[in-house]
Amino acid sequence: MERRSQTPAGPPGPVTHRWTLARGSYLEYQRIAGILRKETVGGALLLLATVAALVWANSPARDAYFALRDFRVGYEPWHLELSVGHWASDGLLAIFFFVAGLELKREFVAGDLRRPSTAAVPIVAACGGVLLPALIYAGIILGTGSDGLKGWAIPTATDIAFALAVLAVISTHLPAALRTFLLTLAVVDDLIAIAIIAFFYGTGVQPGLLGLALVPLGLFAFLVQKRIHASYLLLPLAVATWALVHTSGIHATVAGVLLGFTVPVLRSAKNGGPEAGPGLAETLENRVRPLSAGIAVPVFAFFSAGVALGGWEGMAAAATDPIAVGIAVALVVGKSVGVFGSTWLVTKTRHASLDPDLKWVDVFGIALLAGVGFTVSLLIAELSFGSSPHGEHAKTAILAGSLTAALLAAVVLRLRNRHYRLVEQAELVDADRDGIPDVFQRDPQ
């Protein structure tokens, strides 16, 4: 299949038209492809951990599961005597958010999102995918007199690892542009989720302890700015920052993001400049991402997704809980319409056209996939409702809504898989031709 292009082959000439969801630079394509492979493996482990938790929590040995999850360990004088489940959500998940912080900074400093014209589409799409689900959830809750409004942020998050696991299961040949769009959408979505957790889900914030956390954070920043990445120096400072942020009343996962933001993305000038190779952020990301995707997130899912469904009666109770209904509808309808509608709107206002290899049904498939909210949604559900019946119903709704969104996305994307296979073949030809795809023959923005 030949790539369709609006400009002839040859040196780049004047650009007269903008393309939306066109492929980015070849180096960016290679980097994102590597990330996607790691996230796909992590997503498979995430699925296994979720199934194992659900099976154990609804088996005759369910009491052992909840006893393990609620078993407390730690040092109480430092406010660190936590249950195993809280160690997973407050501790291990900080590793996930550290990687998210590195990825966010990498995208906005050296990735495709550093260009406003390229960043506009995923940023607006992510904002629409957060705003509309929150409004739908609030609308459903307000009409019932329930006290569940504090869970408004639960359906706003997208779980990229779970979404990529779905893609791996259905074996779709999704074009690079759509995969990149999904990843960058999730990156911006993570940034919004981090801000929501920091500003809306802190409890009893103690400014003194929060200020004290700046000391190890500042030392960590000083070392990484000097390109020092010895674990025996950085790890104690990171743990101290995490512990102080946790004790201050701000959710401890925010510490992971702050630590990630301090790491330089580009190489220092004396070491050859940005073109000399990856900076420290990418080096640390390559080290920590396997730990995040392979251990931290699956373990968190194992202790968070174990919901006692209670048979048909329990599921019926969840189905009649406005909180559960609001979450499920917001994930499936709010996310898909919010992401798709925002993408369509920003395209029309920028007077740009969709890449000729794609159709709007492809964007809708990705928008449906964005409704797979899992890791961060489960975290916000715990922060909102704890282990109350509403909390259990919220988790059930997250699982049901994410599964429904994944199945609908699988149907839409599989119907287009034959076309995707042809596009993939063209992309491989482009990549083999002197190592440079024909994205340089037309406007990459």
Side-chain angles (χ1 to χ4, degrees), residues 85-86 88-91 93 97 137 147-154 193-203 246 249-254 300 304 327 374-388 390-392 394-395 398:
H86 276 124
S89 62
D90 292 10
L93 213 56
F97 278 98
Y137 175 86
D147 60 350
L149 195 58
K150 57 187 175 182
W152 65 270
I154 294 173
I194 291 163
I196 288 173
I197 292 171
F199 288 105
F200 294 98
Y201 290 95
T203 56
H246 178 275
I250 298 291
H251 196 268
T253 53
V254 175
F300 165 76
S304 295
I327 291 171
F374 194 77
T375 303
V376 180
S377 292
L378 288 173
L379 174 61
I380 297 177
E382 290 186 356
L383 295 175
S384 301
F385 304 113
S387 57
S388 68
H390 283 321
E392 297 299 298
K395 291 181 179 181
I398 291 168

Side-chain angles (χ1 to χ4, degrees), residues 31-86:
R31 189 185 70 83
I32 287 184
I35 292 175
L36 292 173
R37 283 192 292 270
K38 294 175 184 176
E39 291 285 6
T40 300
V41 174
L45 295 174
L46 180 63
L47 286 172
L48 289 174
T50 301
V51 172
L54 284 171
V55 171
W56 192 0
N58 291 278
S59 71
R62 66 175 68 89
D63 290 342
Y65 170 84
F66 292 109
L68 176 62
R69 187 193 67 181
D70 298 334
F71 180 76
R72 299 183 69 83
V73 61
Y75 190 57
E76 176 55 32
W78 291 356
H79 304 283
L80 291 177
E81 186 181 5
L82 309 174
S83 68
V84 173
H86 276 124

Side-chain angles (χ1 to χ4, degrees), residues 264-404:
V265 170
L266 304 178
R267 292 177 66 90
S268 61
K270 66 178 181 180
N271 290 332
E275 292 78 18
L280 184 55
E282 189 168 345
T283 301
L284 290 181
E285 185 182 338
N286 289 334
R287 286 184 185 178
V288 181
R289 187 180 289 276
L291 177 62
S292 170
I295 297 178
V297 174
V299 170
F300 165 76
F302 179 77
F303 287 110
S304 295
V307 180
L309 298 177
W312 290 111
E313 291 183 1
M315 288 186 284
T320 57
D321 187 341
I323 291 174
V325 174
I327 291 171
V329 173
L331 280 174
V332 178
V333 178
K335 267 291 185 181
S336 58
V337 176
V339 171
F340 180 83
S342 299
T343 305
W344 181 86
L345 184 62
V346 74
T347 299
K348 298 307 176 184
T349 55
R350 293 173 69 234
H351 304 290
S353 300
L354 195 65
D355 185 281
D357 278 338
L358 304 175
K359 295 184 181 299
W360 281 110
V361 67
D362 303 320
V363 180
F364 184 65
I366 295 298
L368 283 169
L369 202 57
V372 178
F374 194 77
T375 303
V376 180
S377 292
L378 288 173
L379 174 61
I380 297 177
E382 290 186 356
L383 295 175
S384 301
F385 304 113
S387 57
S388 68
H390 283 321
E392 297 299 298
H393 293 168
K395 291 181 179 181
T396 302
I398 291 168
L399 295 172
S402 297
L403 179 61
T404 302

Side-chain angles (χ1 to χ4, degrees), residues 93-327:
L93 213 56
I95 301 173
F96 165 80
F97 278 98
F98 175 71
V99 175
L102 293 173
E103 179 63 21
L104 284 166
K105 189 172 181 181
R106 171 66 177 78
E107 283 296 322
F108 284 102
V109 172
D112 280 350
L113 291 182
R114 73 187 185 277
R115 294 192 297 267
S117 57
T118 305
V121 175
I123 287 177
V124 174
C127 290
V130 168
L131 182 60
L132 188 59
L135 291 174
I136 288 177
Y137 175 86
I140 292 175
I141 293 299
L142 288 175
T144 62
S146 171
D147 60 350
L149 195 58
K150 57 187 175 182
W152 65 270
I154 294 173
T156 62
T158 295
D159 192 316
I160 183 62
F162 215 127
L164 292 174
V166 172
L167 291 179
V169 169
I170 65 177
S171 187
T172 181
H173 296 260
L174 203 65
L178 291 178
R179 290 178 181 269
T180 302
F181 175 67
L182 177 61
L183 182 61
T184 51
L185 173 72
V187 166
V188 179
D189 192 273
D190 283 344
L191 178 61
I192 298 173
I194 291 163
I196 288 173
I197 292 171
F199 288 105
F200 294 98
Y201 290 95
T203 56
V205 178
Q206 301 183 45
L209 288 173
L210 190 59
L212 193 59
L214 296 178
V215 176
L217 178 63
L219 291 173
F220 184 96
F222 174 79
L223 292 177
V224 293
Q225 290 298 323
K226 294 294 184 181
R227 273 60 178 181
I228 297 173
H229 51 87
S231 299
Y232 66 88
L233 293 175
L234 296 182
L235 189 57
L237 293 172
V239 172
T241 303
W242 172 87
L244 287 167
V245 170
H246 178 275
T247 308
S248 73
I250 298 291
H251 196 268
T253 53
V254 175
V257 181
L258 295 176
L259 290 165
F261 281 169
T262 67
V263 181
V265 170
L266 304 178
R267 292 177 66 90
S268 61
K270 66 178 181 180
N271 290 332
E275 292 78 18
L280 184 55
E282 189 168 345
T283 301
L284 290 181
E285 185 182 338
N286 289 334
R287 286 184 185 178
V288 181
R289 187 180 289 276
L291 177 62
S292 170
I295 297 178
V297 174
V299 170
F300 165 76
F302 179 77
F303 287 110
S304 295
V307 180
L309 298 177
W312 290 111
E313 291 183 1
M315 288 186 284
T320 57
D321 187 341
I323 291 174
V325 174
I327 291 171

